[in-house]
Structure formats: structure tokens, C-alpha cells
Amino acid sequence: MKYILDSKLLALKLHEFNMEKIFDQAKQLPFTLQKYEPDEVILFEGMEAKSLLFLVEGKVKITSSVETGKSLLLRFVQPFSIIGDVELIRDVPVQSQVKAVDPCLLIGLHFNYIKHHEMDNAKFLHTLLEHVSYKLQTCTTASRVNLLASVENKFASYLMSTLSPDSENNFGIEIRTSNMKEIADLLGTTYRHLNRVIHSLSQKNIIERDNSFIRILNWAKLEELSNGIRYK
């Protein structure tokens, strides 16, 4: 992680996401601008959170550990999103691991400042409520998918959550075939089983696998297999 000392960029991002409507801009709020590289962990599960983070650029992956020591995928998060709201409100350690998928910019605001100056700010509290409610909705969906859906359905949902029909021919680093072991773990299955699912989807001409990437050939069929569920 790197702190970016660029007041113009910070002001641009605050304006881009209408944060002046959440906080009183007449005050000099102690915002920080933080940059994370792909695959860099932003928050480790169980650590003490110190700042509320606002994702303003990039995409992050939220996972939760299970008893086996592996992690299950909960959702992907894109701007504008708040990270650390539960930890702020409940005063608990970080509940899930947060990891950058691609280069990310986050605006941070220290918990101590918030607790002393913003907890009677109705606009701020309303924004927190919106994000916590959405987080509950997506976590409920992810739990249902992880418990009840087949690996084929979960993999289809994963692909649809990561991509869109407007994507380029390759999927980028998240869908490189070298990452299949990690993806299998995130979906709560084995590498061997996921390979069988990929082979089956390839046989049905829904996806194509080469030495480095997996490509989608039939978006409509993949959408059908995902049952409209997204890890978002």
C-alpha cells in the first residue's frame, strides 16, 4: 500500500462520488488517499480496522475463511463502496479478507475522527445504512449460492460476476488458467471437480479453454446457468 499525497486527485475523487454531500466540506477532514496493487491484501480477516475506506477506483474481492483453512468467495466490490462499516459500528475485528483485484484507490477516514465528529451526521449515517443493507443482501445471496448451488452454477456466477459481454477476448488475471486452484477453493470445491466442470462447459461450447485463458463463447447459456446470481 502507498499513500498518495495528491490533493488535486483527492479532491477530484471526493467530487466524483459526491462525498461533499455526505461530509461537511467546510471542515478540513483528515482524508487519506491509498493505492493498492493487484493481489495486494487491503485488510486481513481478524486484524484491527483503524479507518473507514471508500473504494473510488478499481475492484476488490471479499472472501471469508472456513474451518478447513480455505476461503469462500463472498462478492466482488466496485466503486463507490464502503469497507469497514461493520467494524466501525460494531467495534469488532475485520470480518472478511479484502484483496485488490486490479489497481485500486481508496479514500480513508480514521475511526477516531468519525467517532468524535461524524456520528451525529445524518447524511453519513444514512449512507452507512444503505451500504450495510446492501452488504447484508449480497452476503445472504453468497451464502445461499455457496450452500445450495452446484459447482457448475457457482462457476457460471463467478464468470458473470467477473466479466461482461463487452469484455475483451481474454479474462485478465482473475481467469487465467493458472488461477484455477484458487478459484476452486473460493467456490468451495476441488481443483479436479472444477476441471470436470470446465471440460463439460467446453464440450457444450459454452466456454473455450486454451493453454492460458478461458473464453466465453455463449453468454446467453452462461447467464442461464448462473440463474441471474452475481457475486456483487
Side-chain angles (χ1 to χ4, degrees):
M1 185 268 285
K2 294 181 180 179
Y3 286 104
I4 307 298
L5 302 177
D6 188 331
S7 58
K8 290 185 179 179
L9 178 59
L10 175 59
L12 177 66
K13 290 300 180 181
L14 291 171
H15 178 70
E16 180 180 351
F17 293 99
N18 297 312
M19 291 181 68
E20 65 269 19
K21 295 182 179 180
I22 303 174
F23 300 102
D24 182 0
Q25 293 302 295
K27 298 188 292 185
Q28 292 292 328
L29 276 72
F31 288 122
T32 61
L33 190 60
Q34 305 170 19
K35 182 178 181 180
Y36 292 83
E37 298 300 327
D39 292 325
E40 187 174 358
V41 175
I42 299 169
L43 293 172
F44 287 95
E45 188 172 352
M47 72 179 289
E48 179 186 1
K50 296 182 179 180
S51 295
L52 194 65
L53 300 173
F54 303 89
L55 179 65
V56 294
E57 190 173 299
K59 179 166 65 175
V60 303
K61 179 170 58 182
I62 312 293
T63 61
S64 179
S65 63
V66 293
E67 292 181 358
T68 60
K70 296 181 179 179
S71 296
L72 285 178
L73 177 64
L74 295 180
R75 64 193 179 280
F76 291 101
V77 176
Q78 295 176 306
F80 173 72
S81 297
I82 299 177
I83 300 169
D85 40 15
V86 172
E87 291 76 7
L88 169 67
I89 297 168
R90 298 289 300 163
D91 195 22
V92 293
V94 173
Q95 298 296 290
S96 305
Q97 179 171 281
V98 182
K99 188 176 185 180
V101 173
D102 40 36
C104 293
L105 279 179
L106 295 101
I107 295 174
L109 188 60
H110 204 281
F111 281 176
N112 286 341
Y113 177 86
I114 294 172
K115 290 177 180 179
H116 284 92
H117 300 283
E118 300 295 339
M119 295 309 289
D120 59 351
N121 178 344
K123 293 180 179 179
F124 169 66
L125 295 178
H126 179 74
T127 301
L128 278 188
L129 178 60
E130 286 185 336
H131 282 262
V132 170
S133 299
Y134 181 72
K135 185 178 295 184
L136 174 61
Q137 176 187 346
T138 57
C139 284
T140 300
T141 299
S143 297
R144 185 171 66 248
V145 172
N146 285 328
L147 286 172
L148 303 176
S150 70
V151 174
E152 185 176 69
N153 297 144
K154 288 193 282 188
F155 187 55
S157 296
Y158 179 91
L159 295 179
M160 295 298 294
S161 299
T162 308
L163 305 171
S164 73
D166 297 326
S167 299
E168 297 296 328
N169 286 333
N170 65 59
F171 287 162
I173 193 168
E174 277 292 302
I175 315 295
R176 288 184 185 275
T177 53
S178 60
N179 288 350
M180 286 300 110
K181 177 64 169 64
E182 178 186 355
I183 295 172
D185 290 344
L186 290 174
L187 299 181
T189 189
T190 64
Y191 176 72
R192 181 175 296 180
H193 192 173
L194 181 58
N195 266 331
R196 287 198 294 267
V197 168
I198 292 172
H199 178 72
S200 174
L201 295 177
S202 298
Q203 291 291 99
K204 297 173 185 176
N205 292 319
I206 298 174
I207 64 174
E208 177 186 35
R209 181 175 187 170
D210 63 20
N211 292 329
S212 301
F213 291 95
I214 293 173
R215 297 180 177 88
I216 296 178
L217 302 178
N218 190 331
W219 285 97
K221 187 61 178 177
L222 195 69
E223 167 67 26
E224 182 182 330
L225 286 173
S226 74
N227 294 319
I229 295 172
R230 301 289 183 271
Y231 287 103
K232 293 182 179 179

